[in-house]
Amino acid sequence: MKLGLIPPKPELLARMPGMSRLGVPLPEAEPQCDWGRAVEPVTAWGMDMNSSIGDCTIAGCDHAQKLWHANVGSGMRIMSDDEAIRNYSAVSGYDPVTGDNDNGAMLADVMLYWHRHGFEMGGVRDQIAAFVHVYPRDLNEARLAVQWFGCAVIGINLPISAQTQEVWDVADGPDGEPG
C-alpha cells in the first residue's frame, strides 16, 4: 500500500485562506453530518491507483467531487486510472514509465493546482472555485468545513507500518513512529 502525503510547509499554510481567519466568529457546528451516504454503491469511491502509487492526495480530490456530485444529483463522475496518473504526474512530477518521483504530493500544492488548472475526472476538467485551510486542532472548525462544504480533504502523518498493514493498527518500534 502506498502512502503519499508530503508534510505541509508552515510558511505556505500561513498564506492560505483559513476559516478561522474569515474575520467573523464561527458558529457552533452540529455534532454530526454525513454527506457520504449519497455515494452509492460504496465501491464507487474507488482507489484511484492509490494502492499502487502514492497519489492519495489525488484520490482525495476525486472522492470530494464524487461526494459533491452525488449530493446535488448532477451525476457522479468516475476518474479513470489514466486520469489519476496524469493528475498525480502534473502535481508531483511522477513519471509513470520509470516510476521516478513517486514521493507523494503536498496537499496545499494539490489544492492550488486543482483551483488554478483543474484535474481530469471522468473525461471532464474539474476545477474548484476556492478552498480554505482548516486548523486541524479545532474540532468545531473541522466539523463546520464538513457541514458547509460537504467534506474536508485532510492529511494524516501515519506510521511507516501502515504501508504493510491490511487493517491499520498501532505498531511498536521505529515503524510505529509517524512518517
Side-chain angles (χ1 to χ4, degrees):
M1 183 177 309
K2 292 292 288 185
L3 304 175
L5 181 70
I6 296 173
K9 296 177 185 166
E11 64 275 8
L12 178 61
L13 291 180
R15 293 192 321 264
M16 292 177 65
M19 287 182 58
S20 60
R21 292 185 286 225
L22 294 175
V24 296
L26 297 176
E28 192 65 30
E30 295 295 323
Q32 290 185 327
C33 180
D34 185 3
W35 295 98
R37 289 180 293 197
V39 179
E40 291 183 0
V42 72
T43 55
W45 291 108
M47 285 298 296
D48 298 316
M49 296 300 293
N50 193 218
S51 57
S52 304
I53 59 176
D55 73 335
C56 62
T57 53
I58 299 301
C61 294
D62 181 45
H63 294 166
Q65 71 82 19
K66 285 176 181 170
L67 182 79
W68 295 325
H69 287 281
N71 275 282
V72 299
S74 62
M76 195 171 49
R77 296 191 306 270
I78 306 298
M79 183 190 298
S80 71
D81 289 350
D82 287 341
E83 288 173 330
I85 291 169
R86 283 194 300 274
N87 293 335
Y88 178 49
S89 296
V91 174
S92 69
Y94 169 66
D95 184 335
V97 175
T98 65
D100 288 345
N101 300 318
D102 186 11
N103 303 314
M106 189 183 318
L107 194 50
D109 290 341
V110 171
M111 299 308 289
L112 283 168
Y113 192 94
W114 194 10
H115 171 66
R116 292 178 179 158
H117 307 285
F119 289 124
E120 295 176 65
M121 296 182 181
V124 174
R125 177 135 320 254
D126 188 275
Q127 197 167 358
I128 56 173
F131 64 95
V132 296
H133 176 259
V134 174
Y135 183 64
R137 293 192 175 150
D138 186 333
L139 184 57
N140 186 61
E141 193 169 296
R143 285 179 172 161
L144 283 173
V146 172
Q147 285 177 221
W148 291 350
F149 307 117
C151 66
V153 181
I154 61 168
I156 302 170
N157 195 6
L158 293 171
I160 297 296
S161 63
Q163 293 182 14
T164 57
Q165 294 175 332
E166 288 294 317
V167 176
W168 292 341
D169 198 2
V170 176
D172 293 325
D175 284 353
E177 297 297 317

